[in-house]
Amino acid sequence: MSEWLNLAFRWFHVVAGVLWIGQTAFFAWLDSRMTVEAGPDGREQVWMVHSGGFYVVDKQQVPELLPRTLHWFKWESAATWASGFLLLVVVYYLGGALVDPASGVSVGLATAVGVALLPASWIVYDLLWKAWLERRPALGAALGVVLCAAVAWGLTGVMGGRAAYIHVGAMLGTLMAANVWVRILPAQRQLIAAAREGRTADPELAARAKRRSSHNTFLAIPVIFIMISSHFPTASYGHRWNWAMLAGFVVAGFAARGLMNLWNRKG
């Protein structure tokens, strides 16, 4: 039963993650192209062709409510996070893969640390970015790498290397999902409410939501690496300096996303 649950949750998790990360990357590309392609009325616009059809996308900073269906992109993030947490439970908390028996650390202690990490990491991340780092993205990225390394180092002291890696991935995934549900969606709802009530919407709401969405595009690359790292133990969690290796891969992931952004703006 454990193996069947593992397979089902993992399959669901990967599919949901592909949909979520793909949508996030697509909208990041759209925004990068909106800056260079404008419609005939001066509104930012992108023309696309795919599967025999042509598509035109206009961007509005402040919504103009029209009698149309407004499509939200939110359930993919919730499904990815929920299925990922269920995998933690099945594989690690109940599956016996959490701690090294020779370490002497109890499964209960390691489980408590792993579960507490998720909300604690969001509180620290959100407070830092709201109070100090919002206008300092480069500093925030550097501090993020240092904190990831510190978390990985701490986790390797209470659980096995593979479990530590997966919990860092779960932490980053939690930040991404919380960005969607706590920061991005509420801002969008406030913008819509202002338009409905005839009030002038605060453009900073949209800007903050976009910054958190941008964070998600950077965080997604290290998360994907962590998801596949279990197939390469020598180069990842099985290495003597596994926590430092993970920090290096986070840097590589951030750099890759930065290059992708430059390429998107180029053409």
Side-chain angles (χ1 to χ4, degrees), residues 50 115 144 152 154 184 213 217 250:
H50 188 270
V115 172
I184 298 173
S213 181
T217 65
V250 171

Side-chain angles (χ1 to χ4, degrees), residues 18-219:
V18 167
L19 294 175
W20 180 22
I21 294 172
Q23 287 172 356
T24 302
F26 174 66
F27 278 99
W29 176 86
L30 274 181
D31 275 331
S32 69
R33 300 311 301 158
M34 290 285 182
T35 61
V36 297
E37 299 181 22
D41 58 354
R43 179 179 294 171
E44 292 179 315
Q45 190 178 76
V46 170
W47 282 66
M48 297 173 290
V49 59
H50 188 270
S51 303
F54 294 86
Y55 303 82
V56 181
V57 178
D58 292 319
K59 181 178 180 180
Q60 301 176 13
Q61 293 291 349
V62 179
E64 298 174 7
L65 295 185
L66 301 173
R68 299 289 187 272
T69 300
L70 184 62
H71 298 280
W72 294 72
F73 297 87
K74 56 184 179 179
W75 295 114
E76 294 82 3
S77 62
T80 303
W81 187 89
S83 57
F85 186 77
L86 288 173
L87 275 172
L88 282 180
V89 173
V90 171
V91 178
Y92 294 98
Y93 303 154
L94 300 179
L98 185 61
V99 300
D100 181 355
S103 67
V105 178
S106 69
V107 174
L109 173 61
T111 299
V113 170
V115 172
L117 172 68
L118 305 184
S121 61
W122 164 253
I123 292 171
V124 172
Y125 161 84
D126 192 51
L127 287 176
L128 283 175
W129 279 96
K130 283 198 307 181
W132 186 39
L133 298 174
E134 193 163 24
R135 302 293 182 180
R136 303 177 178 90
L139 178 60
L143 182 58
V145 172
V146 172
L147 291 177
C148 275
V151 169
W153 177 80
L155 289 177
T156 56
V158 295
M159 57 183 69
R162 181 184 176 190
Y165 264 50
I166 294 299
H167 276 78
V168 172
M171 175 187 73
L172 299 180
T174 297
L175 301 185
M176 293 173 64
N179 273 337
V180 172
W181 286 89
V182 180
R183 296 301 169 206
I184 298 173
L185 293 177
Q188 291 173 337
R189 292 191 181 99
Q190 291 180 56
L191 292 170
I192 293 171
R196 283 175 175 165
E197 297 167 6
R199 296 184 285 107
T200 300
D202 182 2
E204 185 60 23
L205 287 173
R208 289 174 180 170
K210 185 58 191 173
R211 281 193 287 270
R212 293 303 179 96
S213 181
S214 177
H215 290 185
N216 282 2
T217 65
F218 280 87
L219 294 174

